[in-house]
Amino acid sequence: MVMWRGRAAAVVAAVAVGAAGAAGAVLGERSASAGTRPLAGRVVVIDAGHNGRNADHPAVINRKVPAGGFRKACDTTGTETHSGYAEHAFAFDVSARLAAVLRVQGATVLLVRPNDRGVGPCLNERAAIGNRARADAVISIHADGAPESGRGFHVIVPGYVKGYTGPILKSSQRLGYDVRNAFRSGTGQPYATYVGKNGMDTRTDLGGLNLSKVPKVFIEAGNMRNPGDAARMRSPAWRQRAAKALAAGLSTYLRH
């Protein structure tokens, strides 16, 4: 079940069950007056990667679902630091912090999952939530599980998949660069040393990107297997900096 808080409360139940009227309810927020709040009328969907009970339900998360021209497992369990701090917990914590910052700026914010105690949603449903809301931007928050010698963050943007990603390539790339620049500036986190180039990576194997009809990016905020990155991600103060940096990147994109 998918639930959200804040200004999107009126659409919680409808979106959770995939009702067609949900998008219209969200769109109604766009015309609301919000004084000087810079993101008034903008809709942002935050997709916190994985979920806290995925590991307890392998039959659910391993079933194959559409992923944009192919089928892929519904979801995965994610990774964790050597000390056991889980990616799903990190992703949800940063997502909740980010939502709070964006709402202060006037944005309507939808969270793909309401807490870190559930299962899924599947990747195709995660994409569908942003599509139904006609979001101005969607960001999927993750942390990587690469060899511990690698460090740093990278932003993933969609590559071209015929029949799927063409309409969102340019807007997603612009969103990706804005998020990358703000995250580097706001957190001091270096670009990933083990993947991508200058903090950017393009992929065609992620169903959450392939099925999106609105601008969407992923961020791998660091490598949980790297001791330095892991120490940052375990810090509540750093997670707050990360949330503010992501909000700055989204704001730059949404105010273009």
Side-chain angles (χ1 to χ4, degrees):
M1 185 176 185
V2 180
M3 298 171 62
W4 299 293
R5 299 172 292 211
R7 295 181 66 224
V11 301
V12 168
V15 176
V17 298
V26 174
L27 292 175
E29 296 285 352
R30 297 179 187 272
S31 61
S33 173
T36 60
R37 292 182 296 173
L39 299 184
R42 296 294 194 172
V43 177
V44 179
V45 172
I46 305 174
D47 181 0
H50 314 289
N51 211 328
R53 296 195 63 192
N54 278 6
D56 299 328
H57 297 273
V60 175
I61 66 167
N62 289 331
R63 69 185 180 88
K64 297 294 193 292
V65 298
F70 59 98
R71 298 179 72 82
K72 194 172 182 178
C74 160
D75 203 357
T76 63
T77 58
T79 189
E80 63 182 16
T81 67
H82 290 304
S83 64
Y85 182 48
E87 179 187 2
H88 59 76
F90 168 82
F92 185 75
D93 182 89
V94 173
S95 294
R97 293 171 186 270
L98 173 58
V101 175
L102 291 173
R103 285 170 178 149
V104 168
Q105 296 182 35
T108 295
V109 182
L110 311 181
L111 294 172
V112 160
R113 55 186 178 95
N115 53 50
D116 196 40
R117 301 184 298 275
V119 182
C122 291
L123 61 88
N124 56 330
E125 176 58 17
R126 290 172 186 260
I129 289 167
N131 295 342
R132 287 196 296 265
R134 300 186 191 178
D136 295 295
V138 183
I139 186 165
S140 186
I141 297 176
H142 291 260
D144 219 348
E148 66 178 42
S149 60
R151 61 174 300 205
F153 82 97
H154 64 286
V155 174
I156 304 171
V157 297
Y160 179 70
V161 179
K162 186 177 180 179
Y164 291 94
T165 60
I168 67 163
L169 286 183
K170 289 184 178 179
S171 55
S172 295
Q173 185 173 67
R174 183 160 55 85
L175 172 61
Y177 277 108
D178 286 340
V179 167
R180 183 204 65 174
N181 294 343
F183 197 78
R184 174 76 179 271
S185 175
T187 66
Q189 184 80 322
Y191 298 147
T193 60
Y194 60 93
V195 67
K197 182 178 181 181
N198 296 326
M200 300 293 292
D201 193 22
T202 300
R203 291 176 59 174
T204 59
D205 63 321
L206 297 176
L209 294 179
N210 294 348
L211 297 174
S212 184
K213 300 181 186 301
V214 295
K216 183 173 182 178
V217 299
F218 280 49
I219 183 167
E220 298 281 2
N223 177 15
M224 299 196 100
R225 297 295 178 155
N226 176 271
D229 282 4
R232 291 185 185 91
M233 287 185 276
R234 288 195 304 266
S235 164
W238 190 86
R239 295 196 298 270
Q240 184 65 20
R241 286 176 61 191
K244 289 182 177 179
L246 292 172
L250 286 160
S251 180
T252 297
Y253 171 78
L254 294 170
R255 297 175 69 184
H256 277 336

